Amino acid sequence: MPSLSTLVDNFNDGVIAPDWGNSYGGVSESGGLAHVPCTTGFAGYQTAYAWTLAGASFFVKVASVPAASTATEAYCGILVNGDASGTRIGFTIKAVGNLLRMQSDSGYFDPDAVEITYDPVAHAFLRLREDGSNVYWDTSPDGATWTNRRTLASPAWIAAAIDQCALDLSAHRDAGTPDEATYDLFNTLSNGAVHTASAALSAETALGATALVAAHATAVLSADSSLAATPVLSARATAALSATATLTADAASSTIPEVAGLAAGHFDLHIEQGATYVQNFKVKDEPGFTWSGWTARAQIRSAAASENGELLLDLTPHLTIIGDTVRLALSAAVTETLTRNGVWDLEMVNGPHVVRLLEGRAVVSLEVTR
């Protein structure tokens, strides 16, 4: 499974996503929120023990927290559990005492944990980052401006427990009136509707770039364009790619290519370490279309570049444009250098115009035979 940087959910589709497959205690999703009961039992939105914190960064909005009521212990938490019982790292919001606790537990306890007074406005968003050297606990009122609250040398288990961690959005109390914690906007600030679709496999990944233009760029432009895709990997059975886009321009604008209105589709790279990887991305439903005049660029990083993600592989030297097709070809020697999962995107550049064509996860299957 991938880095926790690649787990994204705005909880708007009313269904607990498969990524939260270990959820427990009667959690639910409605009204654009993840609801976690806070009772004398235990409840949590939890992933499988198959994720990676090393080199990852994730954030979540805490929409509401439990009330203290008559409890001596009432809390909600955002914690990454390691592969050993009681080994975990993250945040706990303690209703009794109104404290935000930043902890790195061993045996369910951190004697050096940092606690500050919890402010539901200033601390609306909580973020945990790991860069290979340190772990950082950050808070933000809006998910854009962050304040670091604690920095700690990375515990050894984070690097050792690759693909063995579980993220848990939890709540519990030992007494008092049952209520809940609610969470929103996990690794995204987009609160729009979630759309899902399936894609049939074919010999190539196809990108539909058909655009309906009401006027040319020398006048006022308005356009609706759609991007449909049938992504394919020879070593994978399923894939999905969808996107929506709009294109507008004013009379003073230079000519804007119709494809510049396309929003990025989603496509995951599944790369086998030490094996040759070839993938074609082809425009369909546009007779005579060509990427002539465009250049392609792409990278794999441990996290989004805005989060200072480490560059794992620059894909740009391995991209070739052939008419309506962008070809990605990685030799076995190149894929041998990949040792962990990340995120990627593909951009097309034509002068001042940049089209972010695809984005998604880069999932690396580690080599056994050497």
Side-chain angles (χ1 to χ4, degrees):
M1 294 295 288
S3 162
L4 285 170
S5 299
T6 66
L7 177 57
V8 178
D9 200 338
N10 61 11
F11 308 110
N12 278 6
D13 61 359
V15 178
I16 298 175
D19 284 338
W20 305 101
N22 279 6
S23 294
Y24 58 97
V27 301
S28 62
E29 184 171 318
S30 64
L33 297 173
H35 298 263
V36 179
C38 184
T39 69
T40 53
F42 292 87
Y45 252 70
Q46 188 182 91
T47 69
Y49 279 82
W51 294 77
T52 298
L53 178 58
S57 173
F58 68 84
F59 66 85
V60 66
K61 181 179 181 180
V62 182
S64 67
V65 301
S69 186
T70 60
T72 58
E73 181 183 63
Y75 65 84
C76 62
I78 301 96
L79 294 163
V80 178
N81 298 325
D83 57 347
S85 180
T87 300
R88 58 189 186 177
I89 193 166
F91 297 88
T92 298
I93 300 172
K94 301 166 68 175
V96 180
N98 194 41
L99 296 172
L100 175 61
R101 180 180 178 88
M102 288 147 283
Q103 63 205 75
S104 176
D105 292 347
S106 178
Y108 298 100
F109 184 66
D110 178 4
D112 301 314
V114 174
E115 293 185 341
I116 60 176
T117 300
Y118 174 64
D119 184 329
V121 176
H123 308 149
F125 287 82
L126 304 178
R127 180 175 70 178
L128 192 69
R129 296 178 287 140
E130 201 279 337
D131 63 5
S133 299
N134 296 301
V135 180
Y136 307 88
W137 288 257
D138 306 324
T139 65
S140 172
D142 55 11
T145 303
W146 295 92
T147 301
N148 178 246
R149 302 295 183 175
R150 185 187 184 189
T151 300
L152 179 71
S154 298
W157 67 264
I158 293 178
I162 299 296
D163 293 347
Q164 298 178 58
C165 298
L167 176 68
D168 196 9
L169 311 180
S170 62
H172 170 71
R173 66 172 59 251
D174 63 1
T177 304
D179 54 5
E180 67 176 9
T182 57
Y183 299 93
D184 196 6
L185 300 177
F186 192 94
N187 270 349
T188 179
L189 295 179
S190 174
N191 217 5
V194 174
H195 301 280
T196 59
S198 60
L201 296 178
S202 65
E204 294 181 321
T205 300
L207 303 174
T210 304
L212 305 177
V213 181
H216 293 290
T218 53
V220 177
L221 286 182
S222 64
D224 295 318
S225 63
S226 62
L227 176 62
T230 309
V232 160
L233 290 173
S234 59
R236 294 287 181 260
T238 60
L241 173 64
S242 62
T244 58
T246 59
L247 172 63
T248 61
D250 57 40
S253 299
S254 59
T255 301
I256 299 177
E258 292 177 2
V259 293
L262 295 176
H266 185 90
F267 183 73
D268 294 338
L269 300 179
H270 290 265
I271 300 174
E272 296 176 346
Q273 183 191 37
T276 302
Y277 180 88
V278 179
Q279 182 66 51
N280 293 330
F281 305 101
K282 181 179 180 180
V283 174
K284 71 172 185 179
D285 300 332
E286 189 72 12
F289 179 85
T290 175
W291 285 114
S292 177
W294 294 77
T295 59
R297 64 189 186 191
Q299 293 180 340
I300 299 175
R301 289 183 175 270
S302 60
S306 61
E307 300 294 341
N308 300 316
E310 177 187 350
L311 178 62
L312 303 182
L313 179 62
D314 186 0
L315 299 175
T316 302
H318 309 288
L319 294 170
T320 305
I321 296 176
I322 309 170
D324 61 355
T325 300
V326 179
R327 181 181 178 85
L328 172 61
L330 304 176
S331 68
V334 171
T335 64
E336 183 70 38
T337 65
L338 287 171
T339 59
R340 56 177 166 145
N341 301 325
V343 292
W344 85 295
D345 62 13
L346 169 64
E347 295 181 340
M348 305 300 294
V349 182
N350 184 351
H353 309 303
V354 178
V355 177
R356 193 162 179 242
L357 202 61
L358 292 168
E359 62 182 356
R361 303 176 297 179
V363 182
V364 179
S365 174
L366 297 180
E367 185 178 18
V368 176
T369 303
R370 301 180 185 279

